[in-house]
Amino acid sequence: MGGACFSIHALGPKDQLLVTSLVGKTTIDGPGIKIIPPLKVGKKRQVDILEPGEYCVAKTTTTGELRRIDGPKQVRLGPYDIILKPKTKAITLEANEYIRLVDDVTGKIRLETGEAIVYPEPTEKCAIPIEN
């Protein structure tokens, strides 16, 4: 006689459970003990922690939408999200420095000057290194 197979997952505060079923995916955030019923598969994944001055870029695979996540924050991804650009330091400018960023999609140029912390948008690249 066969029985149903449930899976039990113990999640810590920095854990997330990605549950895949026949009809889609969902996520469950920790902490806690989670029971996954038959016909569903649970995969535990760690949550990244961004410090102040750090960021990462995530992509939603169903829509292709890119989004930047700025620290300080826990990076809790949605069921269809992937990290496209891992944790990266933001650009720090001194009083006499500037930087030009170019958007790869629109071609728009953004100029940032002075004492600032610059977080590039997901589609922006540095046109020229930091200059005085």
Side-chain angles (χ1 to χ4, degrees), residues 48-55 69-75 119:
D48 276 340
I49 296 176
L50 297 175
E51 300 296 328
E54 292 181 332
Y55 72 98
I69 304 167
D70 299 341
K73 181 183 282 190
Q74 285 187 345
V75 181
Y119 294 91

Side-chain angles (χ1 to χ4, degrees), residues 45-85:
R45 61 185 182 187
Q46 286 287 103
V47 173
D48 276 340
I49 296 176
L50 297 175
E51 300 296 328
E54 292 181 332
Y55 72 98
C56 70
V57 175
K59 178 181 179 179
T60 304
T61 57
T62 54
T63 63
E65 177 190 1
L66 299 174
R67 64 187 164 93
R68 184 187 73 215
I69 304 167
D70 299 341
K73 181 183 282 190
Q74 285 187 345
V75 181
R76 296 203 177 264
L77 299 174
Y80 296 96
D81 291 345
I82 58 170
I83 295 290
L84 202 60
K85 183 176 185 179

